[in-house]
Amino acid sequence: MAVELPQWLEDLRRAEVVDRVRNDPRSGSGRFFGLSGHTAMNAIGWGQAPFDEPWGDLSPEDRALLYAYFNQKGHLEELTEAFRQMFPNRTPDDLIVIDVGCGPCTGGLALAGVLDPPTFDYIGLDSSVTMRDLGERMAASLRRLKGMRRCWASGPAAVDWDRAPSWRSVLVIVSYLLASPTLDPAQLVTDLDKLLAKLGKGRVSVLYTNSPKASANRNFPSFQKAMQDAGFDMPADGTGEIVVERWEGDQQRHLRYAVFHRPAQNRLPLGGG
Ligand SMILES: C[S@@+](CC[C@H](N)C(=O)[O-])C[C@H]1O[C@@H](n2cnc3c(N)ncnc32)[C@H](O)[C@@H]1O
């Protein structure tokens, strides 16, 4: 069966993304902000562009919108299916979510569609302020998401977390980030681990999703090694597919995924047995 997004999320995307692209005076007759579909994909670097820079006549905001128009929906569908499997029965208490390379709040919106009520702390990390702004605009436009407390930063090292460390569980989302040419996976895990220590000692789950293409996952082995060095095990690692509904009919969407897990750190490092 095809993965369905909640109606409020479809409506949000229509208002904040689809209509903004389609109703722009440069769009029409199969063109998007004046570009063919293929050129538009080049303009967003197939998802890996420096989104704060203009490209030809496109502003950074245009590029972020084109990313959300072309790429975000499939990622929302994959994450929605993953979260339905991860949280089948209940909303976890007091969850903290770190969405690394969050783009336009993709992981946060998908999770808010699965958890009812969507009450969690959301830390959206993206090197592009244009992406963070689009994510905040999307999340802020919905009363339904007022229980999702949000903070945004360029990366884990830049998060200003002034609350006391606690035992709260943490979910880290790493969706389509590892192909980024600017990413150092080992440094990412070091910075992430420091942020996790600021949050506390609760259990941590990490969901990794990506295209199944080898080139998109070339950084995965060093990411995995750094995660294992940081005390994570990897209970799931594979490829799979979901069915998605498109105007031309149902389609299979293939993805690479992995789950990492680290239990609550409730043992004192006293040494000895
Ligand atoms: C392909 S998009 C994925 C966005 C979102 N996770 C999704 O699934 O729709 C990659 C995002 O990672 C961001 N990014 C790239 N390199 C980064 C880095 N080194 N640190 C933080 N964000 C980065 C980009 O700005 C972009 O928004």
PDB file of all heavy atoms in Angstrom, residues 47-48 51 67 75 101-103 106 126-128 131 154 175-177 180 182-183, ligand 1:
ATOM      1  N   GLY A  47      20.104  18.240  -4.793  1.00  0.00           N
ATOM      2  CA  GLY A  47      19.881  18.209  -3.339  1.00  0.00           C
ATOM      3  C   GLY A  47      21.089  18.633  -2.524  1.00  0.00           C
ATOM      4  O   GLY A  47      20.993  18.782  -1.315  1.00  0.00           O
ATOM      5  N   GLN A  48      22.242  18.817  -3.181  1.00  0.00           N
ATOM      6  CA  GLN A  48      23.474  19.065  -2.425  1.00  0.00           C
ATOM      7  C   GLN A  48      24.071  20.450  -2.730  1.00  0.00           C
ATOM      8  O   GLN A  48      25.274  20.657  -2.611  1.00  0.00           O
ATOM      9  CB  GLN A  48      24.520  17.980  -2.729  1.00  0.00           C
ATOM     10  CG  GLN A  48      24.052  16.569  -2.429  1.00  0.00           C
ATOM     11  CD  GLN A  48      23.661  16.357  -0.973  1.00  0.00           C
ATOM     12  OE1 GLN A  48      24.111  17.088  -0.096  1.00  0.00           O
ATOM     13  NE2 GLN A  48      22.808  15.384  -0.720  1.00  0.00           N
ATOM     14  N   PHE A  51      22.908  26.174  -0.612  1.00  0.00           N
ATOM     15  CA  PHE A  51      21.603  26.803  -0.796  1.00  0.00           C
ATOM     16  C   PHE A  51      21.569  28.279  -0.407  1.00  0.00           C
ATOM     17  O   PHE A  51      20.582  28.956  -0.703  1.00  0.00           O
ATOM     18  CB  PHE A  51      20.528  26.014  -0.031  1.00  0.00           C
ATOM     19  CG  PHE A  51      20.181  24.707  -0.696  1.00  0.00           C
ATOM     20  CD1 PHE A  51      20.721  23.509  -0.244  1.00  0.00           C
ATOM     21  CD2 PHE A  51      19.338  24.679  -1.801  1.00  0.00           C
ATOM     22  CE1 PHE A  51      20.413  22.317  -0.863  1.00  0.00           C
ATOM     23  CE2 PHE A  51      19.025  23.487  -2.430  1.00  0.00           C
ATOM     24  CZ  PHE A  51      19.562  22.297  -1.960  1.00  0.00           C
ATOM     25  N   TYR A  67      14.180  22.854  -4.040  1.00  0.00           N
ATOM     26  CA  TYR A  67      14.547  21.618  -3.335  1.00  0.00           C
ATOM     27  C   TYR A  67      13.291  21.002  -2.699  1.00  0.00           C
ATOM     28  O   TYR A  67      13.015  19.799  -2.851  1.00  0.00           O
ATOM     29  CB  TYR A  67      15.606  21.881  -2.242  1.00  0.00           C
ATOM     30  CG  TYR A  67      15.790  20.650  -1.410  1.00  0.00           C
ATOM     31  CD1 TYR A  67      16.556  19.606  -1.873  1.00  0.00           C
ATOM     32  CD2 TYR A  67      15.092  20.483  -0.209  1.00  0.00           C
ATOM     33  CE1 TYR A  67      16.652  18.409  -1.167  1.00  0.00           C
ATOM     34  CE2 TYR A  67      15.171  19.299   0.494  1.00  0.00           C
ATOM     35  CZ  TYR A  67      15.958  18.279   0.018  1.00  0.00           C
ATOM     36  OH  TYR A  67      16.034  17.100   0.704  1.00  0.00           O
ATOM     37  N   HIS A  75      11.233  12.227   0.654  1.00  0.00           N
ATOM     38  CA  HIS A  75      11.918  12.047   1.939  1.00  0.00           C
ATOM     39  C   HIS A  75      10.893  12.004   3.078  1.00  0.00           C
ATOM     40  O   HIS A  75      11.019  11.216   4.017  1.00  0.00           O
ATOM     41  CB  HIS A  75      12.912  13.185   2.175  1.00  0.00           C
ATOM     42  CG  HIS A  75      13.969  13.271   1.117  1.00  0.00           C
ATOM     43  ND1 HIS A  75      15.004  14.173   1.176  1.00  0.00           N
ATOM     44  CD2 HIS A  75      14.153  12.578  -0.034  1.00  0.00           C
ATOM     45  CE1 HIS A  75      15.773  14.026   0.097  1.00  0.00           C
ATOM     46  NE2 HIS A  75      15.275  13.070  -0.641  1.00  0.00           N
ATOM     47  N   GLY A 101      21.221  18.213   9.082  1.00  0.00           N
ATOM     48  CA  GLY A 101      21.023  18.488   7.658  1.00  0.00           C
ATOM     49  C   GLY A 101      19.527  18.477   7.375  1.00  0.00           C
ATOM     50  O   GLY A 101      19.048  17.822   6.462  1.00  0.00           O
ATOM     51  N   CYS A 102      18.792  19.239   8.202  1.00  0.00           N
ATOM     52  CA  CYS A 102      17.323  19.123   8.263  1.00  0.00           C
ATOM     53  C   CYS A 102      16.627  19.629   7.017  1.00  0.00           C
ATOM     54  O   CYS A 102      15.466  19.274   6.784  1.00  0.00           O
ATOM     55  CB  CYS A 102      16.792  19.880   9.479  1.00  0.00           C
ATOM     56  SG  CYS A 102      17.247  21.636   9.508  1.00  0.00           S
ATOM     57  N   GLY A 103      17.318  20.476   6.188  1.00  0.00           N
ATOM     58  CA  GLY A 103      16.594  21.070   5.064  1.00  0.00           C
ATOM     59  C   GLY A 103      15.388  21.822   5.602  1.00  0.00           C
ATOM     60  O   GLY A 103      15.416  22.386   6.695  1.00  0.00           O
ATOM     61  N   THR A 106      12.376  18.680   7.286  1.00  0.00           N
ATOM     62  CA  THR A 106      11.765  17.468   6.740  1.00  0.00           C
ATOM     63  C   THR A 106      11.510  16.412   7.818  1.00  0.00           C
ATOM     64  O   THR A 106      10.400  15.878   7.925  1.00  0.00           O
ATOM     65  CB  THR A 106      12.661  16.885   5.627  1.00  0.00           C
ATOM     66  OG1 THR A 106      12.901  17.901   4.659  1.00  0.00           O
ATOM     67  CG2 THR A 106      12.000  15.702   4.941  1.00  0.00           C
ATOM     68  N   ASP A 126      21.195  22.838  10.083  1.00  0.00           N
ATOM     69  CA  ASP A 126      21.498  22.893   8.653  1.00  0.00           C
ATOM     70  C   ASP A 126      22.489  24.018   8.420  1.00  0.00           C
ATOM     71  O   ASP A 126      22.346  25.118   8.972  1.00  0.00           O
ATOM     72  CB  ASP A 126      20.224  23.130   7.826  1.00  0.00           C
ATOM     73  CG  ASP A 126      20.393  22.668   6.388  1.00  0.00           C
ATOM     74  OD1 ASP A 126      21.177  23.298   5.646  1.00  0.00           O
ATOM     75  OD2 ASP A 126      19.765  21.657   6.009  1.00  0.00           O
ATOM     76  N   SER A 127      23.496  23.752   7.588  1.00  0.00           N
ATOM     77  CA  SER A 127      24.501  24.791   7.312  1.00  0.00           C
ATOM     78  C   SER A 127      23.875  25.950   6.539  1.00  0.00           C
ATOM     79  O   SER A 127      24.432  27.044   6.517  1.00  0.00           O
ATOM     80  CB  SER A 127      25.673  24.192   6.524  1.00  0.00           C
ATOM     81  OG  SER A 127      25.185  23.444   5.438  1.00  0.00           O
ATOM     82  N   SER A 128      22.707  25.751   5.931  1.00  0.00           N
ATOM     83  CA  SER A 128      22.070  26.805   5.138  1.00  0.00           C
ATOM     84  C   SER A 128      20.994  27.512   5.957  1.00  0.00           C
ATOM     85  O   SER A 128      19.986  26.897   6.347  1.00  0.00           O
ATOM     86  CB  SER A 128      21.436  26.200   3.881  1.00  0.00           C
ATOM     87  OG  SER A 128      20.458  27.072   3.367  1.00  0.00           O
ATOM     88  N   MET A 131      17.568  27.365   4.212  1.00  0.00           N
ATOM     89  CA  MET A 131      16.806  26.138   4.488  1.00  0.00           C
ATOM     90  C   MET A 131      16.162  26.212   5.871  1.00  0.00           C
ATOM     91  O   MET A 131      14.993  25.848   6.052  1.00  0.00           O
ATOM     92  CB  MET A 131      17.725  24.918   4.440  1.00  0.00           C
ATOM     93  CG  MET A 131      18.011  24.421   3.056  1.00  0.00           C
ATOM     94  SD  MET A 131      16.490  23.795   2.278  1.00  0.00           S
ATOM     95  CE  MET A 131      17.205  22.970   0.882  1.00  0.00           C
ATOM     96  N   SER A 154      23.410  25.998  12.784  1.00  0.00           N
ATOM     97  CA  SER A 154      24.109  25.585  11.558  1.00  0.00           C
ATOM     98  C   SER A 154      24.692  24.179  11.689  1.00  0.00           C
ATOM     99  O   SER A 154      24.961  23.525  10.685  1.00  0.00           O
ATOM    100  CB  SER A 154      25.220  26.581  11.235  1.00  0.00           C
ATOM    101  OG  SER A 154      26.087  26.678  12.340  1.00  0.00           O
ATOM    102  N   SER A 175      18.933  12.377   7.271  1.00  0.00           N
ATOM    103  CA  SER A 175      18.225  12.028   6.037  1.00  0.00           C
ATOM    104  C   SER A 175      18.884  12.734   4.852  1.00  0.00           C
ATOM    105  O   SER A 175      18.885  13.963   4.785  1.00  0.00           O
ATOM    106  CB  SER A 175      16.752  12.453   6.191  1.00  0.00           C
ATOM    107  OG  SER A 175      16.093  12.524   4.951  1.00  0.00           O
ATOM    108  N   TYR A 176      19.477  11.971   3.980  1.00  0.00           N
ATOM    109  CA  TYR A 176      20.071  12.489   2.731  1.00  0.00           C
ATOM    110  C   TYR A 176      21.126  13.557   3.002  1.00  0.00           C
ATOM    111  O   TYR A 176      21.228  14.518   2.270  1.00  0.00           O
ATOM    112  CB  TYR A 176      18.965  13.029   1.797  1.00  0.00           C
ATOM    113  CG  TYR A 176      18.164  11.927   1.186  1.00  0.00           C
ATOM    114  CD1 TYR A 176      17.168  11.287   1.920  1.00  0.00           C
ATOM    115  CD2 TYR A 176      18.402  11.483  -0.101  1.00  0.00           C
ATOM    116  CE1 TYR A 176      16.435  10.236   1.382  1.00  0.00           C
ATOM    117  CE2 TYR A 176      17.675  10.434  -0.657  1.00  0.00           C
ATOM    118  CZ  TYR A 176      16.691   9.823   0.096  1.00  0.00           C
ATOM    119  OH  TYR A 176      15.970   8.795  -0.441  1.00  0.00           O
ATOM    120  N   LEU A 177      21.900  13.363   4.064  1.00  0.00           N
ATOM    121  CA  LEU A 177      22.951  14.336   4.382  1.00  0.00           C
ATOM    122  C   LEU A 177      24.316  13.852   3.926  1.00  0.00           C
ATOM    123  O   LEU A 177      25.166  14.650   3.543  1.00  0.00           O
ATOM    124  CB  LEU A 177      22.971  14.586   5.899  1.00  0.00           C
ATOM    125  CG  LEU A 177      24.153  15.409   6.415  1.00  0.00           C
ATOM    126  CD1 LEU A 177      24.064  16.848   5.890  1.00  0.00           C
ATOM    127  CD2 LEU A 177      24.209  15.416   7.934  1.00  0.00           C
ATOM    128  N   SER A 180      26.675  15.054   1.101  1.00  0.00           N
ATOM    129  CA  SER A 180      27.099  16.457   1.025  1.00  0.00           C
ATOM    130  C   SER A 180      28.611  16.560   0.852  1.00  0.00           C
ATOM    131  O   SER A 180      29.372  15.951   1.611  1.00  0.00           O
ATOM    132  CB  SER A 180      26.688  17.186   2.307  1.00  0.00           C
ATOM    133  OG  SER A 180      27.370  18.415   2.374  1.00  0.00           O
ATOM    134  N   THR A 182      30.447  18.930   1.630  1.00  0.00           N
ATOM    135  CA  THR A 182      31.083  19.707   2.713  1.00  0.00           C
ATOM    136  C   THR A 182      31.187  18.910   4.004  1.00  0.00           C
ATOM    137  O   THR A 182      31.668  19.418   5.009  1.00  0.00           O
ATOM    138  CB  THR A 182      30.273  20.986   3.014  1.00  0.00           C
ATOM    139  OG1 THR A 182      28.987  20.593   3.536  1.00  0.00           O
ATOM    140  CG2 THR A 182      30.094  21.852   1.790  1.00  0.00           C
ATOM    141  N   LEU A 183      30.721  17.652   3.977  1.00  0.00           N
ATOM    142  CA  LEU A 183      30.587  16.938   5.244  1.00  0.00           C
ATOM    143  C   LEU A 183      31.813  16.104   5.594  1.00  0.00           C
ATOM    144  O   LEU A 183      32.314  15.362   4.759  1.00  0.00           O
ATOM    145  CB  LEU A 183      29.373  16.008   5.159  1.00  0.00           C
ATOM    146  CG  LEU A 183      28.979  15.431   6.504  1.00  0.00           C
ATOM    147  CD1 LEU A 183      28.162  16.438   7.287  1.00  0.00           C
ATOM    148  CD2 LEU A 183      28.189  14.148   6.310  1.00  0.00           C
TER     149      LEU A 183
HETATM  150  C1  LIG B   1      19.658  16.650   0.490  1.00  0.00           C
HETATM  151  S1  LIG B   1      19.284  17.857   1.677  1.00  0.00           S
HETATM  152  C2  LIG B   1      18.389  16.881   2.880  1.00  0.00           C
HETATM  153  C3  LIG B   1      17.433  17.713   3.679  1.00  0.00           C
HETATM  154  C4  LIG B   1      16.496  16.918   4.586  1.00  0.00           C
HETATM  155  N1  LIG B   1      17.231  16.134   5.543  1.00  0.00           N
HETATM  156  C5  LIG B   1      15.592  16.055   3.771  1.00  0.00           C
HETATM  157  O1  LIG B   1      15.661  14.825   3.887  1.00  0.00           O
HETATM  158  O2  LIG B   1      14.793  16.603   2.997  1.00  0.00           O
HETATM  159  C6  LIG B   1      20.834  18.091   2.484  1.00  0.00           C
HETATM  160  C7  LIG B   1      20.783  19.256   3.482  1.00  0.00           C
HETATM  161  O3  LIG B   1      21.969  19.207   4.262  1.00  0.00           O
HETATM  162  C8  LIG B   1      22.491  20.507   4.403  1.00  0.00           C
HETATM  163  N2  LIG B   1      23.928  20.359   4.618  1.00  0.00           N
HETATM  164  C9  LIG B   1      24.878  20.045   3.688  1.00  0.00           C
HETATM  165  N3  LIG B   1      26.085  19.926   4.283  1.00  0.00           N
HETATM  166  C10 LIG B   1      25.890  20.172   5.595  1.00  0.00           C
HETATM  167  C11 LIG B   1      26.747  20.182   6.714  1.00  0.00           C
HETATM  168  N4  LIG B   1      28.050  19.938   6.579  1.00  0.00           N
HETATM  169  N5  LIG B   1      26.216  20.464   7.930  1.00  0.00           N
HETATM  170  C12 LIG B   1      24.876  20.724   8.065  1.00  0.00           C
HETATM  171  N6  LIG B   1      24.019  20.724   7.026  1.00  0.00           N
HETATM  172  C13 LIG B   1      24.513  20.436   5.816  1.00  0.00           C
HETATM  173  C14 LIG B   1      22.104  21.222   3.118  1.00  0.00           C
HETATM  174  O4  LIG B   1      22.062  22.627   3.290  1.00  0.00           O
HETATM  175  C15 LIG B   1      20.742  20.622   2.821  1.00  0.00           C
HETATM  176  O5  LIG B   1      19.695  21.377   3.386  1.00  0.00           O
END
